Amino acid sequence: MQRFRLVLRLALIGLEAAVLFSCGSLLAAAQSSCQFNSAQGKIQHVIYVQFDNMHLMRDNPNVPSDLEQMPHLLNFIRSKGALDPNHHTVLISHTANGILTSLTGVYSDRHGIPVANSYVVFRPDGSTAFPSSFFYWTDLVSDVVGASSGDNTFGMLTADGKNAPAPWVPFTRAGCDVGAYSTANVVIERTPFDVVKVFGAGSPEAAETSANQFSDFAGIAVHCAQNSSICGNPNSKAVADLLPQEPGGYAGYNALFGAKYVNQVVQLRDLDNNPIPGFAGFSPTASETLGAIATMQEAGIPVTMSYISDAHDDRVNGVAFGPGQAGYVAQLKAYDDAFAKFFARLKADGIDQHNTLFVFTADEGDHFAGGPPTPANCDGINVPCSYTQIGELDVNLNGLVAAQTGNSTAFSLHFDMAPTVSIIGNPASTSPTTRQLERDFATLTALNPITNQTDKLTVALADPVEMGLLHMLTDDPARTPSFTMFGDPDYFFLSFGSPSAVEEAGFAWNHGGIQPEIAQTWLGLVGPGVRDGQTEDAAGIEFSDHADIRPTIMALLGLQDDYVHDGRVLFEALNRSTLPPSLRAHSGTLLRLARVYKQINAPFGQLGRSSLTVSTAALASNSTNDEAYTGLESKIASWHKRRDAIAGPMRALLEGAAFGGQPIGEQQAKHLINQGEALLEEVTSCAEDLSDCRD
């Protein structure tokens, strides 16, 4: 359940628009204008599906995992493509930045959203605001949070202060329409101001009631190629697709926004053939999402990006399910049935693994907060599980700090199990106020009412020095919090309520933190160019994360972005015969280079994990004249500088081999590998024994 993404279950409007073109004629038109440069020209469709919190690993060893209870999807990936179980999210581990990193192939410091599903903005007077991370691609911070923020930078922000390049652009430039369903920031997210921005302040759309605006215009979009039959339809109500800072320009492109206008060209339907007359909210079921994108594909929209909500929340009663609970199992069964219908329907349309690139992943994993099940050996399938205690432990963090340490420093926080903390007035990182609050955070404990044990609440701490290394800082200094606390995953931290741990039954699946069950997720690839029938081990991917999805898609399609990715092509999972010669040359060294690159540059790579251990020790330290803090912070800053000096040339070699037809230079690559490995060894040794950090 998306805590900060309010789901409005609105009454669906009853008007059903007629389908103005036959699916066959539109599909033929799309195939003739859409030009991928894929290997052997086989890919004609792209179907991208991102789940919220759908697990490959088991949360209870006796209960089959989410994907194990969805065999039609899992077997499709395993038998016809490649499954990567060593895939990872980014920091902090949340929906918005997980999706946006996947869509763009760059880390949060280059797309602007490192904290989700909201983030801090310091106002000029030192007070704070927390705008939503869900907004339309070209919105400014002030559009979301109001002019009082004094922040007129783009929400989607590059490292040099520009609007981040939009992920649909390479497709539309190639003549391919792009359909989006519930996908973060590529559809209208918030009403009324997104509606006003897209349609104009005096438009009929802006005059609708807020509820009608959401149902009519939110959540669904088609970004059209030039001369598109979808946007070119005289009844389509297409508007200019404005991207004023897109590299290379983006004039002459149009888009459709919302069910009201998409349905005037093609009536969206769920998998049971029920019309989707309006958008119901940003927690769509598998049947709703898969039906909508199947309709789009049948209507000649060859690229679709979509989102499916989790299955572990009971949205009828507003509570959370535990692993193996009957309602959870039933929802997964409904999801599995939806995928069976989806694949069968597409196959009947001639859309399958022979001509379609399928990409499946989840934005992040999450941690189940609750007591043990009854009976202890329940499996959820034959023996349902039940729970007497289920739910996160909510804590008023401001109250807890004051009660346990006597520190009355005023601060605000991003509500989360991994809260960013912003001290009112925005003092410097090295100020006595900031340093004392960091020390006090490191000592916090709580009595767990489920286990009756005292828990240490702070698992790790990162200030801006470490957050910069972890790709958590943007070009907008107003978005930089004082520090981030990565907490015990059973807890959720707020600024109100009791400072004691209080069980909250409505939420039991926590994410945002650094625990393996949260950080590690999965990636499934199926289609021409993908090694088919690969088990997890045979896929050969030691480590990947969300930044790798975009360059892998672009390489398979033979398209290019207008920027260098932070991720790299996962060529281990691709057929060697489909790779360009530049990705086949020096293959052993290329693979070593790619692996070391990820370990030094990914937030959950070895360098990121080890440096976070050092950062935690630095912020918790209380030595004379703060010498330990100063020394360790200096080390982290030097590692960051060295990392960037190594990772930059590595990235250039990997991008050149993938997209520039330039084989890596063997000697340069080996030199960079040696430098990267030496850096990893130094940082790891320091994390294991802080005495190794002495100059």
Side-chain angles (χ1 to χ4, degrees):
M1 181 177 292
Q2 298 314 310
R3 184 181 306 271
F4 299 111
R5 197 174 194 182
L6 299 180
V7 179
L8 303 177
R9 288 294 175 184
L10 305 173
L12 298 181
I13 61 174
L15 178 63
E16 179 177 344
V19 178
L20 300 180
F21 288 103
S22 71
C23 291
S25 62
L26 280 173
L27 184 58
Q31 290 175 340
S32 64
S33 61
C34 180
Q35 296 296 320
F36 299 133
N37 299 311
S38 63
Q40 303 172 358
K42 291 183 177 180
I43 299 178
Q44 300 174 17
H45 309 267
V46 180
I47 295 177
Y48 179 97
V49 178
Q50 191 147 23
F51 290 95
D52 182 42
N53 310 131
M54 194 64 63
H55 300 171
L56 173 62
M57 296 188 295
R58 293 189 175 192
D59 299 294
N60 177 320
N62 296 325
V63 178
S65 71
D66 294 347
L67 282 184
E68 287 176 320
Q69 293 185 58
M70 296 168 59
H72 285 97
L73 174 59
L74 184 58
N75 293 339
F76 178 77
I77 298 171
R78 281 179 164 162
S79 64
K80 303 182 188 306
L83 177 66
D84 174 14
N86 302 311
H87 195 66
H88 295 76
T89 185
V90 293
L91 287 171
I92 67 173
S93 307
H94 261 303
T95 299
N97 53 342
I99 293 175
L100 294 170
T101 300
S102 302
L103 291 179
T104 61
V106 299
Y107 291 127
S108 303
D109 50 2
R110 292 180 60 202
H111 64 59
I113 307 297
V115 180
N117 292 336
S118 63
Y119 58 94
V120 67
V121 172
F122 278 105
R123 297 187 180 97
D125 63 1
S127 64
T128 57
F130 287 87
S132 170
S133 299
F134 298 107
F135 49 83
Y136 187 61
W137 200 270
T138 58
D139 283 345
L140 307 179
V141 173
S142 56
D143 290 332
V144 182
V145 77
S148 66
S149 69
D151 194 329
N152 293 316
T153 62
F154 286 99
M156 299 299 303
L157 189 70
T158 64
D160 58 355
K162 294 183 172 59
N163 195 195
W168 61 85
V169 168
F171 302 113
T172 54
R173 284 177 176 166
C176 311
D177 293 339
V178 178
Y181 197 87
S182 195
T183 309
N185 300 24
V186 303
V187 298
I188 286 177
E189 296 261 2
R190 295 166 64 82
T191 55
F193 70 79
D194 277 346
V195 173
V196 172
K197 174 183 279 282
V198 169
F199 294 103
S203 64
E205 293 83 2
E208 289 192 10
T209 66
S210 180
N212 284 344
Q213 283 183 352
F214 188 87
S215 178
D216 285 350
F217 307 121
I220 304 170
V222 179
H223 297 276
C224 291
Q226 291 180 339
N227 302 315
S228 163
S229 60
I230 298 290
C231 284
N233 185 299
N235 298 310
S236 71
K237 303 290 186 180
V239 295
D241 197 354
L242 299 178
L243 295 172
Q245 294 193 351
E246 191 67 25
Y250 198 66
Y253 291 85
N254 294 322
L256 294 176
F257 291 96
K260 181 174 183 177
Y261 291 153
V262 172
N263 282 340
Q264 291 187 17
V265 179
V266 53
Q267 173 64 60
L268 299 177
R269 296 178 180 272
D270 67 19
L271 288 174
D272 295 319
N273 207 35
N274 299 309
I276 303 175
F279 187 65
F282 285 101
S283 290
T285 65
S287 177
E288 181 183 342
T289 292
L290 295 177
I293 64 175
T295 307
M296 289 181 179
Q297 289 283 342
E298 291 162 345
I301 302 170
V303 180
T304 51
M305 304 172 177
S306 61
Y307 168 87
I308 298 175
S309 61
D310 65 74
H312 55 226
D313 286 310
D314 179 354
R315 293 176 182 82
V316 175
N317 300 302
V319 297
F321 292 126
Q325 201 167 351
Y328 191 174
V329 172
Q331 289 192 161
L332 287 171
K333 177 63 167 60
Y335 277 32
D336 183 53
D337 291 343
F339 271 96
K341 294 177 182 178
F342 179 65
F343 291 132
R345 176 170 161 181
L346 290 182
K347 189 172 183 63
D349 295 327
I351 302 173
D352 62 13
Q353 71 275 11
H354 299 295
N355 60 10
T356 303
L357 175 60
F358 294 88
V359 181
F360 303 101
T361 191
D363 47 23
E364 75 275 322
D366 44 13
H367 170 85
F368 173 65
T374 302
N377 64 344
C378 64
D379 64 2
I381 307 301
N382 301 301
V383 180
C385 301
S386 60
Y387 296 83
T388 57
Q389 291 178 302
I390 181 170
E392 67 187 22
L393 302 175
D394 287 354
V395 171
N396 176 348
L397 192 56
N398 304 69
L400 184 68
V401 170
Q404 290 193 357
T405 72
N407 192 331
S408 60
T409 297
F411 64 89
S412 58
L413 66 146
H414 164 256
F415 295 176
D416 205 81
M417 67 153 286
T420 55
V421 177
S422 302
I423 301 174
I424 303 303
N426 199 12
S429 296
T430 56
S431 73
T433 299
T434 303
R435 288 293 298 118
Q436 188 57 51
L437 190 62
E438 290 167 344
R439 295 187 194 102
D440 290 339
F441 262 70
T443 68
L444 297 176
T445 61
L447 180 65
N448 189 320
I450 295 178
T451 65
N452 205 34
Q453 301 293 314
T454 297
D455 293 332
K456 188 176 186 298
L457 295 183
T458 300
V459 174
L461 291 167
D463 71 354
V465 174
E466 173 67 9
M467 288 160 55
L469 186 146
L470 297 174
H471 302 287
M472 294 177 64
L473 298 185
T474 73
D475 188 61
D476 180 8
R479 302 187 209 184
T480 302
S482 302
F483 60 90
T484 299
M485 166 195 179
F486 296 101
D488 183 307
D490 285 333
Y491 292 80
F492 191 86
F493 301 101
L494 312 96
S495 60
F496 60 87
S498 172
S500 302
V502 177
E503 191 172 358
E504 170 55 71
F507 305 100
W509 296 92
N510 277 347
H511 44 267
I514 59 175
Q515 289 74 15
E517 66 271 25
I518 296 170
Q520 188 170 345
T521 180
W522 55 276
L523 170 65
L525 298 170
V526 175
V530 179
R531 294 173 62 191
D532 58 334
Q534 299 302 310
T535 65
E536 288 86 333
D537 292 336
I541 302 173
E542 287 189 353
F543 178 99
S544 69
D545 68 6
H546 284 339
D548 300 324
I549 297 176
R550 177 71 174 198
T552 302
I553 292 173
M554 293 291 101
L556 283 166
L557 298 178
L559 299 180
Q560 292 194 30
D561 283 308
D562 291 319
Y563 53 89
V564 174
H565 305 101
D566 286 326
R568 58 94 171 183
V569 176
L570 298 173
F571 46 80
E572 307 96 303
L574 309 184
N575 290 324
R576 183 175 173 82
S577 62
T578 66
L579 299 175
S582 52
L583 274 179
R584 297 199 300 266
H586 311 292
S587 58
T589 302
L590 179 67
L591 182 58
R592 285 185 60 208
L593 180 75
R595 288 174 172 173
V596 174
Y597 169 72
K598 294 304 299 188
Q599 291 303 317
I600 68 172
N601 202 42
F604 283 106
Q606 182 181 340
L607 178 62
R609 298 194 309 272
S610 295
S611 64
L612 186 56
T613 299
V614 178
S615 171
T616 305
L619 271 59
S621 66
N622 192 19
S623 59
T624 303
N625 297 323
D626 226 358
E627 290 179 356
Y629 164 80
T630 301
L632 294 176
E633 289 278 285
S634 177
K635 278 288 186 183
I636 295 171
S638 70
W639 293 336
H640 185 180
K641 185 176 181 180
R642 283 172 58 194
R643 189 276 305 279
D644 287 354
I646 300 167
M650 284 182 164
R651 182 170 54 219
L653 289 179
L654 292 167
E655 284 276 299
F659 301 104
Q662 304 165 358
I664 63 168
E666 183 84 14
Q667 294 307 313
Q668 182 189 12
K670 288 181 177 179
H671 178 66
L672 291 168
I673 290 169
N674 291 337
Q675 287 183 309
E677 289 177 339
L679 177 59
L680 288 173
E681 182 177 358
E682 178 181 329
V683 179
T684 302
S685 295
C686 178
E688 293 173 348
D689 183 356
L690 292 177
S691 65
D692 282 352
C693 288
R694 296 173 182 169
D695 292 328

